[in-house]
Amino acid sequence: MKEAELSVKYRKGDSAGFEELVRPHLAMAYRTALLIIHDRQLAQDAVQEALFEVYQSLDRFDPDRGVSFRTWFAKIVTHRALNAVRRHKPVSEYQERADESTNPLNSVIEREEQQQIWKAICEMKVKHRTVVILYYYGDFSVAEIAEMLGVFEGTVKSRLHHARKLIAAKLQGRDDAPHLSKIGVSANE
């Protein structure tokens, strides 16, 4: 059954329809929240908040606007995760990968490089980290990310470009990138 049909079915009072609608997107939602927040419990809380918000406002989802349910749900999850980052500073650096299947690196050298990339991503400002996570780990398009974050596509492209430069500088062993030396997130980023 299509998402539009499921959303209409749920609106008519079928709670099983709601579960059928969100279930395929729960892993993506949790992974996205976890990668943004770096805390398992806060990520679970963010997803729960997003699910409640979706449950309460499903009537605002309009598939005729050209936005998929997946994108609409991810937008809500992303905003709940960003709110959690603003409320809680990360206590420790995230060391695990959210999904081992996305990183099937076999050699030690490749693993070290991947860890350096992840460390560079973790050290970015939240606005850059979010677009990198949504684009590379969430497989969302630039247009979908712009819609989720409420910014222009050019802004997303600019943030991705800046993030790539930060990662390249980190991999080359340079700490001349200004944002990498300032770890942390401020509420107005």
Side-chain angles (χ1 to χ4, degrees), residues 36-40 42 81-94 122 124-126 129 182-189:
I36 292 171
I37 301 171
H38 302 178
D39 182 286
R40 291 174 189 265
L42 291 177
L82 290 171
N83 287 345
V85 168
R86 290 181 187 109
R87 285 191 307 258
H88 307 283
K89 298 286 182 185
V91 190
S92 63
E93 187 175 309
Y94 180 71
C122 290
M124 290 177 188
K125 288 184 176 182
V126 72
R129 184 172 66 231
K182 298 177 182 175
I183 299 173
V185 177
S186 67
N188 57 3
E189 290 183 339

Side-chain angles (χ1 to χ4, degrees), residues 163-181:
R164 288 182 195 116
K165 285 175 58 175
L166 292 172
I167 291 169
K170 188 69 169 181
L171 289 177
Q172 293 173 359
R174 298 189 331 248
D175 280 333
D176 58 347
H179 299 295
L180 290 177
S181 61

Side-chain angles (χ1 to χ4, degrees), residues 13-14 23 26 32 39 47-48 59 74 77 88-89 103 118 126 128 142 163 184:
D14 180 10
R23 182 180 301 272
L26 289 176
T32 300
D39 182 286
V47 172
Q48 286 296 324
D59 58 329
V77 169
H88 307 283
K89 298 286 182 185
N103 265 331
W118 183 247
V126 72
H128 296 110
V142 169

Side-chain angles (χ1 to χ4, degrees), residues 7 10-11 18 49-62 69 72 76 80:
S7 66
Y10 168 69
R11 285 184 206 153
F18 178 75
E49 289 174 17
L51 283 168
F52 183 72
E53 186 173 336
V54 167
Y55 184 81
Q56 294 293 318
S57 62
L58 189 61
D59 58 329
R60 291 187 301 183
F61 169 63
D62 184 8
F69 178 79
W72 185 72
I76 294 170
R80 293 310 131 249

Side-chain angles (χ1 to χ4, degrees), residues 122-155:
C122 290
E123 293 175 349
M124 290 177 188
K125 288 184 176 182
V126 72
K127 65 184 179 183
H128 296 110
R129 184 172 66 231
T130 301
V131 296
V132 167
I133 289 167
L134 291 172
Y135 188 78
Y136 290 107
Y137 293 88
D139 293 327
F140 288 99
S141 70
V142 169
E144 290 173 320
I145 296 169
E147 169 71 26
M148 281 184 239
L149 299 178
V151 299
F152 295 110
E153 288 183 33
T155 302

